[in-house]
Amino acid sequence: MSTCWDFSGHNVLVIGGTSGINLGIAQGFAQAGAKLGVVSRSQEKVDAAVNALSSHTEAIGFSADVRDYEAISACNRDFSERLGPIDVLVSGAAGNFPAPAAGMSVNGFKAVMDIDLLGTFHVLQSAYPFLKKPGSAVINISAPQAFQPMEMQAHVCAAKAGVDMLTRVLAMEWGCDGIRVNSIVPGPIAGTEGMARLAPTQKIQSAVTASVPLGRPGSKEDIAAAAMFLASPFASYITGAILPVDGGWSLGGVASLGDALKSAVSP
Ligand code: NAP
Ligand code: COA
C-alpha cells in the first residue's frame, strides 16, 4: 500500500496484531515508518507477523493472552523498555462464533466476554503507565454488534457494547493526560477470520455485500487508513468517538446479517 502518512519516530503497539484487520493496521503504521510491536497467543503467528513487518521497520512481538493481566502488563512494559513510550495503542484481540444464547454454554459466553471486554480493560489499564503523556492515541477495535442487536451474537453484542463504553469513559478519565481514546467499528472486511465465521457461504457473503450502501465489502487498508487518521494530528480534537468504517452498513444493513446467520444455522 502506498501511504501519505508519516509516523516515523512513533511507537505503535497492536494487541491481537498478528492476523486480519489488526495486522493490516500494524502494516499500515509500519509502512508509514513507525516502530511496531504485535501481541497474540500463538508464537507462530507472532513470529510470522514480526517477520512480515520487519521488511518495513523495526518490529518486535510477544506471545500473550489478553485474559492474563500479568502477561499483558509485561508486554506493555517490555515494549516500552525496548522502544520507548507507547504513542499509539491498538486493542483488537477478539473471539467470535455464531451460537444462539439458549444453546451456548456459559463458558462460551464467558470466553468472548473475557477476551473482548475484560481483555480490552486489561490492555488499556496495564498500558496506562507506559502511554506517552500528552499525545498518545488509543484505538479500540469494536464491531457493529456493539449497537446492533444480532441473533446468534449475544456474547459479542454484550462484549463490544462494553468495549465502546470503555472507550467513552476512558476518553473522559484520560483526557486530562492528553491521551485520546476512540473506537473503530469495522464493517464486513473481506478476507478475514471474522467474515469467514459469520459469512461462511457465498450466499451470505452476497447478502452482506448487497446490504452495504457503498456496495462492496471493506478492506484491511480501509481500516488501517482510519486508524492512522485517528492517531494523527488531524484528529487531535477527536476523543471518545465511535467511528464506523463500514461503507454505510451501520445505517441499516447490519441487521440483515443476524437474519442470515439465523437461517444459516437453522435453514
Ligand atoms: P482475527 O484475524 O482472528 O484477529 C484476531 C487477533 O486477535 C489474532 O491476531 C489473534 O491471534 C488475536 N487473539 C485472539 N484471541 C486472543 C487472546 N485471547 N489474547 C491475545 N490475542 C488474541 O480476526 P479479524 O476478523 O481480523 O478481527 C479483528 C478485529 O476486528 C476483532 O476485534 C473483531 O471483533 C473486529 N471486527 C472484525 C470484522 C470483520 O469483518 N472481520 C468486523 C467488525 C469487527 P491468536 O490466535 O494468535 O491469539
Ligand atoms: N459454538 C458454540 N460454542 C463454542 C464454539 C462454537 N462454534 N466455539 C467455542 N465454543 C465454546 C466451547 O465449547 C467452550 O465452552 P465449554 O467449555 O462449555 O465447552 C468455550 O466456547 C471456550 O472454548 P475454547 O475453545 O476452550 O476457548 P479458547 O479460549 O481456546 O478460544 C474462542 C476462544 C472460542 C473465541 C476461539 O474461537 C478463538 O480463539 N477465536 C479467536 C479468533 C476469532 O474468533 N476471530 C474472529 C474475530 S471477529
Side-chain angles (χ1 to χ4, degrees):
M1 175 169 93
S2 64
T3 186
C4 59
W5 300 103
D6 181 6
F7 281 95
S8 48
H10 287 66
N11 299 323
V12 178
L13 179 59
V14 184
I15 311 296
T18 63
S19 61
I21 289 172
N22 305 322
L23 177 57
I25 292 171
Q27 281 168 327
F29 279 106
Q31 286 163 16
K35 291 181 185 167
L36 257 296
V38 288
V39 177
S40 83
R41 295 166 299 178
S42 155
Q43 187 66 54
E44 205 177 318
K45 285 177 70 173
V46 169
D47 292 343
V50 168
N51 198 31
L53 293 165
S54 295
S55 60
H56 300 288
T57 188
E58 183 177 347
I60 57 178
F62 307 94
S63 165
D65 191 318
V66 293
R67 291 169 285 193
D68 180 342
Y69 183 86
E70 296 306 326
I72 214 70
S73 185
C75 295
N76 284 314
R77 189 189 59 242
D78 291 353
F79 175 88
S80 52
E81 280 176 4
R82 287 169 66 180
L83 298 184
I86 303 169
D87 294 282
V88 181
L89 175 69
V90 178
S91 179
N96 196 353
F97 51 83
M104 187 188 307
S105 73
V106 169
N107 200 38
F109 187 88
K110 185 174 182 299
V112 170
M113 292 296 286
D114 284 354
I115 298 168
D116 292 28
L117 180 53
L118 189 60
T120 300
F121 183 74
H122 286 167
V123 168
L124 269 56
Q125 197 208 43
S126 67
Y128 178 75
F130 308 109
L131 290 168
K132 186 175 279 177
K133 304 180 193 66
S136 55
V138 176
I139 299 169
N140 290 325
I141 306 303
S142 182
Q145 289 90 327
F147 51 82
Q148 174 64 52
M150 195 181 291
E151 293 181 67
M152 307 290 160
Q153 291 283 274
H155 46 346
V156 178
C157 290
K160 292 291 194 180
V163 167
D164 282 351
M165 197 49 87
L166 279 180
T167 292
R168 293 189 177 103
V169 173
L170 297 192
M172 293 175 80
E173 292 191 1
W174 294 356
C176 58
D177 293 313
I179 300 170
R180 297 181 299 105
V181 186
N182 293 292
S183 281
I184 287 177
V185 182
I189 305 303
T192 60
E193 182 64 25
M195 278 303 282
R197 289 180 182 221
L198 296 191
T201 66
Q202 188 58 50
K203 192 176 164 202
I204 301 180
Q205 284 164 25
S206 300
V208 166
T209 302
S211 67
V212 176
L214 287 183
R216 68 166 176 89
S219 66
K220 293 164 201 163
E221 288 79 9
D222 289 325
I223 306 303
M228 288 188 280
F229 164 69
L230 284 177
S232 78
F234 296 106
S236 61
Y237 203 51
I238 301 178
T239 195
I242 313 297
L243 178 66
V245 184
D246 66 355
W249 204 37
S250 53
L251 301 174
V254 179
S256 66
L257 181 57
D259 297 337
L261 279 174
K262 195 177 166 192
S263 62
V265 172
S266 40

